[in-house]
Amino acid sequence: CDTVTYSKHIKPIVDTKCVSCHNPGFKSGETEFGSYEQFKQKADAGRIKARVIDGTGGYMPQTGKLPDNELRLIQCWLDNGMKQ
């Protein structure tokens, strides 16, 4: 878990599962995930854990809950300081 980084592990998930709706041209929920800083800001506020991991208010992405292996990576990243 302590080796999970945004650039190596989380960004590929964000790019394939989140950016299609959360981008400059279509800021779903006024949220844009074009950079590490934007994603980390939502993570710091607890929004990533709430919506992606816990499903509070409905799971993100809207297409359904992420696979367990991706959820584990995101949880590890959150738990270990959200390294870039």
Side-chain angles (χ1 to χ4, degrees):
C1 247
D2 60 339
T3 61
V4 175
T5 64
Y6 178 81
S7 58
K8 184 174 181 180
H9 302 94
I10 306 305
K11 186 172 183 336
I13 297 169
V14 171
D15 286 349
T16 59
K17 307 283 176 72
C18 309
V19 172
S20 62
C21 292
H22 297 284
N23 63 69
F26 184 75
K27 290 196 298 191
S28 181
E30 295 303 312
T31 300
E32 182 182 330
F33 292 147
S35 69
Y36 163 78
E37 291 78 14
Q38 290 168 324
F39 194 75
K40 185 177 180 299
Q41 179 183 24
K42 292 298 180 187
D44 283 339
R47 297 290 297 154
I48 300 303
K49 182 173 181 351
R51 293 303 302 270
V52 175
I53 304 221
D54 298 337
T56 305
Y59 280 103
M60 284 287 133
Q62 290 181 341
T63 56
K65 187 176 175 182
L66 292 175
D68 287 343
N69 64 320
E70 291 178 348
L71 291 173
R72 279 191 298 276
L73 281 173
I74 293 169
Q75 187 65 62
C76 281
W77 180 74
L78 293 168
D79 290 345
N80 288 292
M82 298 178 275
K83 299 172 188 165
Q84 188 169 1

